[in-house]
Amino acid sequence: MQYGQHPAPRFTVAHLSDVHLLAHGVRQYGVVEPEDGLRLALDRVGRLDPVPQALVFTGDLADKAEPDAYARLRELVEPAAAAMGAEVVWVIGNHDERAPYAKGLFDSDDDGPQDRVHDLGGLRIVALDTSVAGYHHGALAPEQLDWLRDVLGTPAEHGTILAMHHAPIPLPTLEPAAIIELLDQESLAAVVRGSDVRQILGGHFHYTSHSTFAGVPVSIASASCYTTDPAPVDRLISGVDGHQAFNTVHVYDDRIVHTVVPIPEAPEVSGQSAAFREALDALSFEERREIISRKDSDFNTHAESHEPREPLTDL
Ligand SMILES: [Fe+2]
Ligand SMILES: [Fe+2]
């Protein structure tokens, strides 16, 4: 049922980032339990309608690259993704390390660049490895750029999404983080420009941000563990236990829509039962507009009061 002028999206992707999972029971900075954030995020993703066809995790999956953390990540994510019928796209970050990442997530002994291609029914998702051994900044080797140029040489039916941890974006609200950004972004721009890349997804900075790169939209997802406060009081940089979020990525034939989904629950103050949808579907366009849009309709003047729903576990 289409209520407005746009058809349903062709693809729905959940874009999560920076899980920073630790071996079970260990807290980040003695406070944040990254597993709690991931569990809440997966709960929220599971409630999306339409259900996502892919869960894309843009890096920093394991805080200290511990094999146990990768094993736990799979234990939590894979059954949730399977229940949704969604493919999982892993992307490596600076906190990850190639050998345990490859072994833990792909049962592979190949500790070279972790670049992979996924085909989501004609929508290509390229996971690009920007990690640098022993450092937090990002880089792409010339061989990786050659590989990417080769992959993009054959356009995909519905275009390409490039998923990379160190996405190329200016950092006006977090200038110090530029020290650990992707090096030599122009070399990547030369590969992306004019290709079928429709979107770049990234993480790394632990707050939500948007830009463009070589004419392509860039979307950075926040984190599910701790986040960076873009407006701290008298702090050069401030990581906080709050504001966690992931993004939905709805891919239409002519555009892509990103929506920030906060991970912690909030108390409901107004709403309608999901069952109301069926009644709305049964109406004509004009009838729907009279009920929902007209300011003095019963719907708008006698909004149903109701008991607030029970909040789920808080972060
Ligand atoms: Fe991170
Ligand atoms: Fe990072």
Side-chain angles (χ1 to χ4, degrees), residues 241-260:
D241 183 14
H243 309 159
Q244 293 87 350
F246 65 90
N247 293 348
T248 56
V249 182
H250 290 110
V251 180
Y252 293 79
D253 286 348
D254 62 346
R255 71 193 79 188
I256 297 177
V257 176
H258 303 268
T259 305
V260 177

Side-chain angles (χ1 to χ4, degrees), residues 42 133 145 149 168 246 278:
L42 291 171
L145 291 166
R149 192 179 290 107
F246 65 90
E278 211 173 303

Side-chain angles (χ1 to χ4, degrees), residues 269-300:
V269 294
S270 76
Q272 275 292 334
S273 158
F276 188 54
R277 170 84 199 220
E278 211 173 303
L280 274 181
D281 282 355
L283 301 176
S284 70
F285 171 80
E286 288 77 14
E287 287 169 329
R288 259 180 240 129
R289 188 166 59 187
E290 285 304 296
I291 292 172
I292 303 294
S293 176
R294 211 182 74 211
K295 290 182 177 178
D296 63 354
S297 71
D298 276 357
F299 178 84
N300 285 321

